[in-house]
Amino acid sequence: MFQSREIYIQTTSPVHNLNFWTKFLVFLLLFPLMSFLAKPLFLLLLAIVLVFAIFISRIGFGKFWRLARLYIITSVIGIIILSFIFLSGEIIGRIFSGFLLSFRFMLLISSGIFFASITNPIEIPMGFMQARFPHKYGVTLMISLRMMALLTVKIQKVIDAQKARGASFRFSFKNALNLMNRLAALFVPILHFTLETAIQLSDTLISRGYNPRGKITYRPFKLSILDYLFFMGSLFIIIITIFAY
């Protein structure tokens, strides 16, 4: 029914075989927390750790960059511009603060995308059920992750359609107001697509007999030695980061 670009990359690697809660706690909670608590020198250590995790995941740096570049480039440029405009002090200091803050956000975004690329969406409701959470929350999160890629493709299609009609989305101080109006015009078709997709997903779940209040069987909760090593290593790094802050 839907044609989308999957964020999850199916392959066999030690990172893919980790328990869902290990990946969730390390790459979606602890790693972003460390990115904002760490001093500039420790940010390089976190970047090395993330690069090593991507390497052993066998995803490929080129494929990971294609998944993350849209989010990273826009956030980095936006943060640097906002820091240059709103921060006080000398120009060099404002630019440095902007680069530092954008680097923190780059680590945060990369860790979130990396989590999505190594986590099969079916693991999400399974993990929530193993932790005794209602499975309806896990299904909601699973659908949200799958919608990220679908929404990205749709936004790009809408932008391409507007460009074919002669619209320009290049930023400059002269056409800043016109650019804001064009970006606002993208909101209506994207909102319509989002609502239409939500209705289709709801109808699909109902037609397949899904009951958010029903019971579902699931596998027992298990942790491997690798899960303990990843989790303990992350705790060790965050303890160092906090005490060195």
Side-chain angles (χ1 to χ4, degrees):
M1 180 172 59
F2 302 111
Q3 294 180 351
S4 64
R5 181 181 58 188
E6 295 286 348
I7 294 182
Y8 170 65
I9 301 174
Q10 185 175 3
T11 184
T12 302
S13 73
V15 181
H16 282 77
N17 295 332
L18 292 173
N19 184 276
F20 165 75
W21 284 106
T22 303
K23 292 184 281 191
F24 181 83
L25 292 174
V26 172
F27 296 110
L28 210 57
L29 293 181
L30 293 181
F31 204 90
L33 180 62
M34 289 184 283
S35 300
F36 277 92
L37 291 178
K39 287 185 176 181
L41 184 61
F42 279 94
L43 289 176
L44 296 177
L45 174 62
L46 295 179
I48 293 173
V49 171
L50 183 60
V51 168
F52 177 73
I54 296 173
F55 173 74
I56 64 174
S57 69
R58 299 175 184 173
I59 292 175
F61 293 104
K63 187 176 294 185
F64 181 80
W65 171 246
R66 286 192 293 271
L67 288 174
R69 62 184 176 184
L70 177 64
Y71 307 99
I72 291 177
I73 293 175
T74 53
S75 62
V76 168
I77 295 176
I79 291 170
I80 292 175
I81 293 175
L82 292 175
S83 299
F84 180 77
I85 295 174
F86 292 104
L87 291 181
S88 59
E90 298 181 356
I91 295 178
I92 297 178
R94 284 183 288 174
I95 294 176
F96 176 77
S97 299
F99 271 106
L100 183 61
L101 185 59
S102 63
F103 190 70
R104 294 182 188 275
F105 270 93
M106 184 180 67
L107 290 176
L108 186 149
I109 295 171
S110 298
S111 61
I113 295 176
F114 181 65
F115 166 79
S117 64
I118 63 174
T119 305
N120 193 328
I122 199 63
E123 294 181 47
I124 299 173
M126 188 70 66
F128 273 77
M129 287 187 291
Q130 289 174 341
R132 305 300 180 183
F133 283 95
H135 57 80
K136 60 182 179 181
Y137 300 118
V139 171
T140 302
L141 182 58
M142 176 185 67
I143 293 175
S144 300
L145 285 174
R146 296 182 71 89
M147 282 289 292
M148 287 174 59
L150 186 64
L151 187 60
T152 301
V153 173
K154 183 61 179 180
I155 292 174
Q156 187 61 49
K157 287 183 178 179
V158 173
I159 292 175
D160 292 340
Q162 294 290 342
K163 287 182 178 180
R165 292 181 175 91
S168 175
F169 293 94
R170 293 182 178 180
F171 177 79
S172 67
F173 291 102
K174 293 182 179 180
N175 68 341
L177 183 60
N178 293 330
L179 178 61
M180 294 301 295
N181 292 331
R182 293 190 183 99
L183 291 177
L186 298 177
F187 177 75
V188 175
I190 292 172
L191 179 62
H192 177 268
F193 167 77
T194 304
L195 294 176
E196 183 182 25
T197 305
I199 294 173
Q200 291 177 355
L201 285 171
S202 177
D203 293 340
T204 301
L205 291 172
I206 293 173
S207 64
R208 296 191 177 187
Y210 175 73
N211 183 6
R213 298 179 180 83
K215 293 183 178 180
I216 298 179
T217 58
Y218 53 89
R219 292 175 295 180
F221 183 82
K222 291 183 179 180
L223 291 176
S224 64
I225 298 177
L226 196 59
D227 289 300
Y228 287 108
L229 290 176
F230 262 86
F231 189 70
M232 296 304 295
S234 300
L235 287 179
F236 177 73
I237 294 176
I238 196 172
I239 289 173
I240 295 177
T241 302
I242 292 174
F243 279 97
Y245 186 69

